[in-house]
Amino acid sequence: MTREPLPDTDPPTRTTDLRMAGEWLARHDLAGARPTPLLASRLAVRSRARLATYVILAALILVSALAATFAFGGLQPHRPLPLLALAAAVAGLLLAQSLLDRWVRRVDQRAGATLSRRAAHPIQPGWRAVLGRPYAIFAVAAFAGAIVLAASALAVPDPTVRQLAVVVLIGLLGATAITAMQLRHLLSFPVVAEDEESLTADVIMRVEDARELTTPNVQWSLPVVLFGTAPGWWNAAAVAYLVLSLAACVALHARTPSCATVAQRAMSVQ
């Protein structure tokens, strides 16, 4: 007797996930909406994926710091092996992020396949609707500023500073690539919705994730590797970059509309 293959089904939605989905709806001005198992499962997967991304970025910072330590430790300074190991680690972290995005996409595809009907007017929001011009300008300026800051250390005559700048540049380029990969995934994966409320929730999730991605946590952290070694002018420039970008980030979050408002505007123009 032939054995039928088991269907690819997800475990039942937990009560905790439903409760957290209800709290998420209330925070985004959708308190009247019912937390469905579809929304609860999608939010739970995104929460786990976001935590995994934090681990990946923390690993990037840690590996960069270790590479800086081992590159100039011992009796043979300026060894290239730690830099090669750092480049390999960055490639591995990019692969891990790619697999993580693929996992989230696969969960969304399975959820979409179970829907009895799709949204009446499905949309595919672009970067202007999801990220917005102010956040896009801030992200580009913050990421470019960090790379220019690290690259400027290459002009310092001290070979130790130049080697540390290479370490920071590799880490920053890796962080930028991870962020770009996440944004591409965020803008390209299809909308999963069965009614007007779940469609609104889908767009809100995209806007919320996009705003979190533009926070340059790694760009604020990695230049610390050069503090105490770089000359005074570079330290002053690094402090100015940190203060200005942090002030811009706070002002941006305070003055821009909420994720729910942006999502409703995006849907109204479809």
Side-chain angles (χ1 to χ4, degrees), residues 123-136 183 186-187 202-211 257-270:
I123 62 174
Q124 188 67 39
W127 71 269
R128 291 179 183 272
V130 173
L131 185 58
R133 188 184 299 274
Y135 277 91
L183 282 173
L186 191 65
L187 295 173
D202 185 287
V203 180
I204 291 176
M205 279 190 281
R206 293 171 189 262
V207 176
E208 192 176 48
D209 291 344
R211 291 186 175 186
S258 66
C259 297
T261 301
V262 172
Q264 290 168 358
R265 290 178 181 174
M267 293 180 59
S268 66
V269 299
Q270 299 300 319

Side-chain angles (χ1 to χ4, degrees), residues 3-61:
R3 180 175 298 177
E4 295 293 333
L6 294 176
D8 186 11
T9 57
D10 293 322
T13 306
R14 296 183 300 178
T15 304
T16 303
D17 293 340
L18 286 172
R19 177 179 56 80
M20 294 180 65
E23 295 173 355
W24 183 89
L25 289 170
R27 288 197 306 270
H28 292 87
D29 303 327
L30 294 173
R34 181 176 60 88
T36 62
L38 170 67
L39 177 62
S41 62
R42 294 189 69 199
L43 287 174
V45 167
R46 271 157 180 74
S47 177
R48 299 185 188 105
R50 185 175 297 176
L51 179 60
T53 298
Y54 290 155
V55 172
I56 289 174
L57 294 177
L60 176 62
I61 296 174

Side-chain angles (χ1 to χ4, degrees), residues 46-235:
R46 271 157 180 74
S47 177
R48 299 185 188 105
R50 185 175 297 176
L51 179 60
T53 298
Y54 290 155
V55 172
I56 289 174
L57 294 177
L60 176 62
I61 296 174
L62 180 60
V63 169
S64 299
L66 289 175
T69 300
F70 287 116
F72 308 104
L75 299 177
Q76 297 180 347
H78 320 313
R79 292 170 293 180
L81 184 59
L83 298 181
L84 295 176
L86 174 59
V90 169
L93 293 174
L94 285 172
L95 176 60
Q97 184 61 53
S98 176
L99 294 175
L100 186 63
D101 292 339
R102 184 179 300 178
W103 171 59
V104 175
R105 183 187 293 270
R106 188 165 60 247
V107 170
D108 282 347
Q109 288 174 343
R110 287 203 299 264
T114 62
L115 298 179
S116 57
R117 62 189 181 90
R118 303 303 291 264
H121 52 285
I123 62 174
Q124 188 67 39
W127 71 269
R128 291 179 183 272
V130 173
L131 185 58
R133 188 184 299 274
Y135 277 91
I137 293 174
F138 170 74
V140 172
F143 289 14
I147 291 176
V148 170
L149 183 65
S152 66
L154 294 174
V156 177
D158 189 344
T160 299
V161 175
R162 291 202 299 268
Q163 292 285 344
L164 284 174
V166 172
V167 171
V168 175
L169 277 173
I170 293 175
L172 287 175
L173 291 174
T176 302
I178 290 174
T179 301
M181 187 181 299
Q182 289 179 281
L183 282 173
R184 179 180 177 277
H185 167 76
L186 191 65
L187 295 173
S188 63
F189 73 83
V191 171
V192 179
E194 56 186 339
D195 52 27
E196 191 77 18
E197 292 176 347
S198 59
L199 180 61
T200 304
D202 185 287
V203 180
I204 291 176
M205 279 190 281
R206 293 171 189 262
V207 176
E208 192 176 48
D209 291 344
R211 291 186 175 186
E212 180 138 353
L213 286 175
T214 58
T215 304
N217 295 309
V218 177
Q219 287 71 20
W220 288 336
S221 304
L222 275 180
V224 176
V225 172
L226 281 162
F227 273 107
T229 305
W233 66 265
W234 191 93
N235 292 331

